[in-house]
């Protein structure tokens, strides 16, 4: 047992633990609780306590920890032992190489969702090169439904100065977090936030958007209880629960979304890997979209479906 761990269990009076001892002690505690990423988590928490990243540990390996740093580290470890996600403890998570502020009011942005940002940028580029009606200084209007911490919308606005994002969420607390992230990344001028149910906040903007993107909740209700503990017990159910077959949101977004897209506008939706065919079928059954494309992640799993709104000839009745 390291000297540091003795102090954790209350054997006071020994010398202050060094950084390396604290790291070993923390790793051991988290490891004993079956946390797979025990070493990494202990490094992140200790780095946070030392006021920087994990590199602080290796720069100060033999330094004795100050008493209040040790107390803070112990409190953070305790939160982790209860299953709280690291991102909620440290208050941030990297996404698209940007540092996003997160709280327990929002889903922790997942690396999988970076694929959605990448695909959206590809679709915007395709639109720019094929649509000559887009003036050189015109902005692409993109709707990010269920923006959460703003990961998708803020990344898009950061990546392209010619994109304007409309970000909506049912949760006003999530929108507060997203607003803070837009400010942090200097894109408040080109991103607007509105609270409400799916398309409700932009219902007057028919045929307005070049693109509609979303990572909607898609966990099947019967599988909510089987999610890993740190997701099930800590992340907002509102961000995860996709109804009986997990597709409640995809269905609504696809059925209504074409109304808000301009002709040829694109839609990209994140899916669970086993939902590809069903979501393609949803696009097809509405009859207002071109054939859907399924996008694979690096592991070869289905992760996104995209389609474009068909330009239909005017009909008169
Ligand atoms: N876009 C973020 C991301 O990718 O990290 C968050 C995605 S999370 C899976 C889904 C988001 O949809 C949550 O922020 C949740 O609050 C929001 N949401 C749930 N129901 C909604 C509804 N009826 N209308 C609008 N947003 C909703
Ligand atoms: N991929 C997430 C998870 O299972 C689910 C995200 C979602 O519902 N959009 O942790």
């Amino acid at each position: 047992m390291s000297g540091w761990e003795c102090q954790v269990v209350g054997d006071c009076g020994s010398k202050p633990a060094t950084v390396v001892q604290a790291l070993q002690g923390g790793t051991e505690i988290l490891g004993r609780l079956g946390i797979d990423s025990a070493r990494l988590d202990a490094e992140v928490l200790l780095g946070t306590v030392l006021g920087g990243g994990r590199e602080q540990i290796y720069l100060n390996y033999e330094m004795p920890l100050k008493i209040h740093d040790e107390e803070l580290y112990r409190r953070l470890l305790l939160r982790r032992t209860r299953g709280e996600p690291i991102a909620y403890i440290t208050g941030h998570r990297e996404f698209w190489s940007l540092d996003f502020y997160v709280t327990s009011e929002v889903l922790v942005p997942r690396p999988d969702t970076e694929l959605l940002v990448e695909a959206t940028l590809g679709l915007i580029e395709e639109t720019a090169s094929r649509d000559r009606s887009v003036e050189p200084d015109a902005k692409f209007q993109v709707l990010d439904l269920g923006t959460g911490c703003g990961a998708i919308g803020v990344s898009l606005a950061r990546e392209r100065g010619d994109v304007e994002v409309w970000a909506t969420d049912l949760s006003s607390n999530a929108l507060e977090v997203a607003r803070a992230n837009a400010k942090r990344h200097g894109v408040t001028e080109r991103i607007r936030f509105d609270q409400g149910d799916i398309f409700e906040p932009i219902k007057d903007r028919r045929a307005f958007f070049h693109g509609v993107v979303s990572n909607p909740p898609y966990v099947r209700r019967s599988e909510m209880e089987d999610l890993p503990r740190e997701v099930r017990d800590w992340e907002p159910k509102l961000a995860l629960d996709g109804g009986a077959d997990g597709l409640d949101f995809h269905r609504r977004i696809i059925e209504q979304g074409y109304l808000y897209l301009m002709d040829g506008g694109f839609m990209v939706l994140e899916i669970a890997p086993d939902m590809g065919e069903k979501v393609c079928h949803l696009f097809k059954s509405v009859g207002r979209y071109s054939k859907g494309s399924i996008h694979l992640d690096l592991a070869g799993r289905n992760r996104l479906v995209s389609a474009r709104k068909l330009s239909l000839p005017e009909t008169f009745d």
Side-chain angles (χ1 to χ4, degrees):
M1 259 187 198
S2 67
W4 184 82
E5 197 181 357
C6 289
Q7 292 177 35
V8 161
V9 295
D11 181 9
C12 300
S14 49
K15 279 197 300 185
T18 61
V19 167
V20 62
Q21 285 170 332
L23 177 62
Q24 283 160 356
T27 305
E28 218 172 295
I29 290 171
L30 298 180
R32 246 190 273 131
L33 288 166
I35 295 176
D36 291 340
S37 49
R39 165 83 183 198
L40 178 63
D41 289 1
E43 282 183 5
V44 171
L45 296 179
L46 190 53
T48 303
V49 166
L50 295 173
R54 287 153 59 205
E55 70 284 354
Q56 286 303 318
I57 297 171
Y58 299 96
L59 293 172
N60 298 291
Y61 226 49
E62 299 297 340
M63 183 185 80
L65 269 186
K66 297 190 185 81
I67 297 276
H68 64 267
D69 282 350
E70 192 174 319
E71 275 169 15
L72 176 59
Y73 181 49
R74 199 180 307 150
R75 281 204 301 276
L76 301 188
L77 276 174
L78 183 65
R79 288 172 66 179
R80 187 70 191 110
T81 62
R82 292 177 178 152
E84 186 170 350
I86 277 280
Y88 292 159
I89 303 175
T90 61
H92 61 118
R93 171 54 48 94
E94 186 182 304
F95 179 87
W96 199 254
S97 301
L98 299 169
D99 188 43
F100 279 86
Y101 160 59
V102 294
T103 70
S104 57
E105 300 287 348
V106 296
L107 187 92
V108 178
R110 313 286 204 253
D112 296 329
T113 305
E114 293 181 338
L115 189 64
L116 192 152
V117 174
E118 201 180 308
T120 304
L121 290 169
L123 286 157
I124 293 173
E125 195 48 48
E126 190 184 277
T127 309
S129 55
R130 82 178 195 189
D131 186 350
R132 269 175 277 133
S133 68
V134 180
E135 302 289 329
D137 55 352
K139 301 273 192 259
F140 288 96
Q141 306 296 333
V142 179
L143 175 62
D144 173 17
L145 290 173
T147 194
C149 75
I152 300 169
V154 169
S155 302
L156 291 172
R158 267 295 289 238
E159 202 62 37
R160 286 189 72 121
D162 58 357
V163 164
E164 277 178 4
V165 177
W166 300 63
T168 68
D169 207 290
L170 191 59
S171 158
S172 44
N173 291 335
L175 288 174
E176 283 309 307
V177 174
R179 269 194 198 96
N181 281 316
K183 192 164 174 209
R184 175 179 284 201
H185 296 299
V187 294
T188 42
E189 304 286 289
R190 284 182 295 106
I191 184 161
R192 157 183 176 155
F193 298 96
D194 287 296
Q195 188 272 334
D197 181 32
I198 315 214
F199 294 107
E200 212 282 324
I202 52 87
K203 63 177 184 299
D204 299 331
R205 306 228 157 232
R206 293 212 167 195
F208 177 78
F209 294 97
H210 292 89
V212 171
V213 303
S214 184
N215 169 21
Y218 55 67
V219 178
R220 291 175 182 84
R221 181 125 347 119
S222 59
E223 290 172 6
M224 289 288 290
E225 279 304 303
D226 306 330
L227 288 170
R229 175 174 76 136
E230 58 176 53
V231 179
R232 184 194 62 212
D233 294 349
W234 293 90
E235 300 206 71
K237 295 213 173 5
L238 183 68
L240 295 162
D241 185 347
D245 65 354
L247 291 171
D248 279 6
F249 287 88
H250 297 77
R251 213 171 279 116
R252 289 175 65 197
I253 294 170
I254 294 169
E255 279 168 6
Q256 298 170 36
Y258 72 87
L259 293 169
Y260 303 97
L261 282 172
M262 44 178 85
D263 284 353
F266 62 83
M267 183 178 286
V268 196
L269 303 177
E270 184 169 314
I271 55 165
D274 60 355
M275 292 174 168
E277 290 304 318
K278 278 196 187 135
V279 173
C280 276
H281 182 74
L282 284 174
F283 274 111
K284 190 173 167 205
S285 64
V286 172
R288 306 300 297 246
Y289 300 93
S290 59
K291 205 167 139 268
S293 314
I294 299 180
H295 304 236
L296 309 180
D297 64 16
L298 289 176
R301 294 170 307 183
N302 297 342
R303 288 314 323 224
L304 305 173
V305 180
S306 68
R308 282 187 181 270
K309 178 177 169 179
L310 286 172
S311 315
L312 290 181
E314 294 260 356
T315 53
F316 299 94
D317 46 17

